[in-house]
Amino acid sequence: MVLRGCSGEEQALLLAAAGSVSFSAAKGGTETASKALSWPARSAHAGAVECGARAPDAERLSSPAGVPGLSGTMAPYRIRQYEDGDYEAVRTMFGHGVMEHAPAAFIYMLKCPQAQLHFLGLFLAVLAASGSLLVSLLALLLALTGGWFCSRSLWTDYVQQSLRNDLLDIRRTYLEAADSCLWVAEAEGVVVGMVGAVLPDDPSEKGCALELKRMSVGREHRGRGIGRALCRTVIRFAQERGYSAVVLNTSMVQYSAQQLYESMGFRRVSQRSPSLLESFLQFSIFYYRYEIPGSR
């Protein structure tokens, strides 16, 4: 670059100053981006235990053509076995991934006829008692606000329960237990996805299937095939151990997850409501099964 009207020494000083500012700005941006909300953590055990899974080679993907702001080649990712240093990242990713579905669950509740009748009945009752349209609207608003917090609390409770159960001692649950494992997808040294395989809770599936659990991919890394690669890793893991199927469950509002699993060949086999409230709201958990080709 040439700066007109400046001597050679002045140009050198100005360019040096500009470079210093650019470096400081880039450094500040990196430090800001590195800060992330984390869920309550527990200490992980040291050491290394192989769960016997073969991690696929790193895959290099290109940005979709015609997408503004995306050009060239995306950073490659690789799928590897969980390590103790991934503890915080895995727990945080799981928590954030689950809580993304709270708004969709609330919207589903608002569309439920039973909930609509409840809110309408409340509105009419307050209107009849007070004779004030404003008071009735305020009562309805309070009821909707309470419904949102109630819906969100169900997802928060699920996250906290999971963090206290299988994601508390990840090594014991996934690496030391028989026919179990946890993998992460890593891009540029950062965990961007995760998935686990465990023995299923359903007694009828034990001995013939493994359960896919805790599938999650960071929002900014979706659309790159990471979810499909993680899914294939679990299927291959089950096949290598002589199992004939992989089973999983997901909620009815996790639409992207349902599309992924069905595109991979999973078949929905049943649906259940885990509680009386969810049964009243007709909210279901979908159960899927994948039959491994050529298995016994």
Side-chain angles (χ1 to χ4, degrees):
M1 177 177 67
V2 179
L3 302 176
R4 300 185 182 276
C6 297
S7 65
E9 182 178 356
E10 289 172 337
Q11 290 186 31
L13 290 173
L14 288 173
L15 290 172
S20 176
V21 171
S22 299
F23 174 78
S24 299
K27 181 180 180 182
T30 302
E31 292 174 349
T32 302
S34 66
K35 298 178 181 178
L37 175 64
S38 60
W39 295 89
R42 302 292 188 274
S43 60
H45 298 298
V49 178
E50 282 294 331
C51 60
R54 296 184 309 183
D57 295 333
E59 299 184 42
R60 183 173 294 276
L61 301 175
S62 298
S63 302
V67 179
L70 294 178
S71 60
T73 302
M74 287 183 176
Y77 70 84
R78 68 187 181 102
I79 297 176
R80 59 170 175 79
Q81 182 180 311
Y82 165 87
E83 299 172 355
D84 289 331
D86 306 320
Y87 187 75
E88 297 291 348
V90 162
R91 287 164 58 90
T92 299
M93 173 168 292
F94 168 75
H96 287 176
V98 170
M99 293 308 297
E100 285 182 15
H101 304 293
F106 180 64
I107 292 173
Y108 173 83
M109 182 194 74
L110 295 181
K111 294 179 179 179
C112 179
Q114 291 89 328
Q116 292 175 353
L117 286 175
H118 174 78
F119 288 125
L120 177 61
L122 174 66
F123 175 81
L124 294 176
V126 175
L127 181 62
S130 65
S132 171
L133 180 61
L134 178 60
V135 172
S136 302
L137 290 174
L138 287 175
L140 180 60
L141 179 60
L142 287 174
L144 289 171
T145 304
W148 159 247
F149 282 107
C150 179
S151 174
R152 192 176 189 278
S153 70
L154 295 175
W155 295 87
T156 303
D157 291 345
Y158 173 71
V159 169
Q160 295 300 328
Q161 181 182 6
S162 300
L163 294 180
R164 291 191 297 266
N165 291 338
D166 62 296
L167 293 177
L168 176 63
D169 190 343
I170 297 175
R171 174 167 296 283
R172 180 177 61 84
T173 303
Y174 289 97
L175 303 188
E176 296 177 354
D179 292 344
S180 301
C181 197
L182 185 74
W183 300 268
V184 299
E186 181 184 65
E188 296 184 324
V190 177
V191 172
V192 299
M194 60 180 285
V195 73
V198 296
L199 296 174
D201 294 328
D202 186 351
S204 66
E205 295 288 5
K206 290 186 177 179
C208 61
L210 287 184
E211 182 176 356
L212 184 152
K213 289 177 70 73
R214 308 309 183 209
M215 167 77 83
S216 186
V217 176
R219 182 191 294 270
E220 64 276 15
H221 295 279
R222 293 171 190 168
R224 301 174 55 186
I226 296 177
R228 297 178 67 85
L230 289 168
C231 198
R232 286 194 297 267
T233 299
V234 174
I235 293 173
R236 180 166 54 249
F237 181 78
Q239 185 177 33
E240 290 174 349
R241 277 150 185 76
Y243 290 92
S244 60
V246 174
V247 296
L248 62 89
N249 63 76
T250 188
S251 75
M252 64 187 306
V253 298
Q254 293 176 259
Y255 309 113
S256 297
Q258 295 169 36
Q259 292 174 0
L260 168 65
Y261 298 137
E262 290 171 6
S263 71
M264 294 289 295
F266 282 82
R267 179 174 53 90
R268 189 192 304 176
V269 294
S270 65
Q271 63 183 73
R272 292 193 289 270
S273 297
S275 70
L276 290 176
L277 174 61
E278 289 163 318
S279 178
F280 172 76
L281 296 174
Q282 298 180 343
F283 185 89
S284 299
I285 301 297
F286 292 159
Y287 293 82
Y288 284 86
R289 182 182 180 87
Y290 176 87
E291 301 290 346
I292 299 175
S295 59
R296 55 179 173 79

